[in-house]
Amino acid sequence: MSATILILNGPNLNLLGQRQPEVYGHATLKDVEANCATLGTELGLKVDFRQSNHEGELIDWIQQARGVASGIIINPAAYSHTSVGILDALNMFEAPVLEVHISNIHQRESFRHHSYVTHRADGVIAGMGIEGYTLALRRMATLVV
Ligand code: DQA
């Protein structure tokens, strides 16, 4: 049975493609999901791709992933910079966690420079556009063998 990788997306990423395209590009979250599904098949990983605008729902999904998912890739979006709750949930997850940001958060406003999730993440990708997701998935494949 192939390992399941949970890919989580935080608030406003449902509007990827329409949302500040000069920062986040023109691809939609459906495009990102399709790229991850294709690569997942190639790597022999089952990809479970989700988005929520609600902090509690993301926390519920992280809790439910315990003992089920072999890794989590998360773009916590704005919750990166605010959510101790998401960090605490990830701290209870026993397998690898990779953090992705489409934009280079370190080049942007100072409030984006700190991410709570980074305290738990085994790796962080920022500023690689939507390619960051497939790069993270390739890295995840090496971590979950
Ligand atoms: C983001 C960066 C965050 O600062 C922002 O709030 C987002 C998206 C990124 O993917 O670049 O919503 O996580």
Side-chain angles (χ1 to χ4, degrees):
M1 212 179 70
S2 47
T4 297
I5 307 304
L6 182 60
I7 304 184
L8 294 179
N9 293 277
N12 301 307
L13 288 168
N14 54 312
L15 293 183
L16 201 63
Q18 299 172 47
R19 173 192 186 199
Q20 293 180 277
E22 70 285 2
V23 177
Y24 298 111
H26 292 277
T28 66
L29 199 61
K30 279 271 161 233
D31 297 329
V32 178
E33 182 172 5
N35 292 348
C36 291
T38 302
L39 181 62
T41 304
E42 195 183 298
L43 296 171
L45 297 171
K46 185 170 177 289
V47 172
D48 182 353
F49 193 96
R50 305 182 191 189
Q51 187 275 333
S52 179
N53 289 328
H54 305 279
E55 185 176 12
E57 187 164 44
L58 292 162
I59 291 170
D60 286 343
W61 288 342
I62 294 165
Q63 289 186 6
Q64 289 157 14
R66 298 170 71 219
V68 177
S70 299
I72 294 177
I73 295 170
I74 183 166
N75 182 347
Y79 291 142
S80 316
H81 319 301
T82 62
S83 181
V84 176
I86 288 176
L87 170 63
D88 285 348
L90 289 169
N91 277 334
M92 291 186 285
F93 181 70
E94 63 288 347
V97 174
L98 299 177
E99 178 179 358
V100 172
H101 299 280
I102 296 166
S103 65
N104 182 355
I105 54 173
H106 302 289
Q107 201 178 54
R108 300 181 63 194
E109 304 96 321
S110 58
F111 64 84
R112 296 185 202 275
H113 295 179
H114 176 262
S115 164
Y116 285 99
V117 169
T118 299
H119 293 263
R120 166 62 180 89
D122 298 292
V124 182
I125 294 173
M128 307 291 258
I130 64 160
E131 206 184 330
Y133 287 83
T134 46
L135 291 168
L137 195 53
R138 284 190 190 281
R139 173 65 180 157
M140 191 59 86
T142 71
L143 296 175
V144 303
V145 283

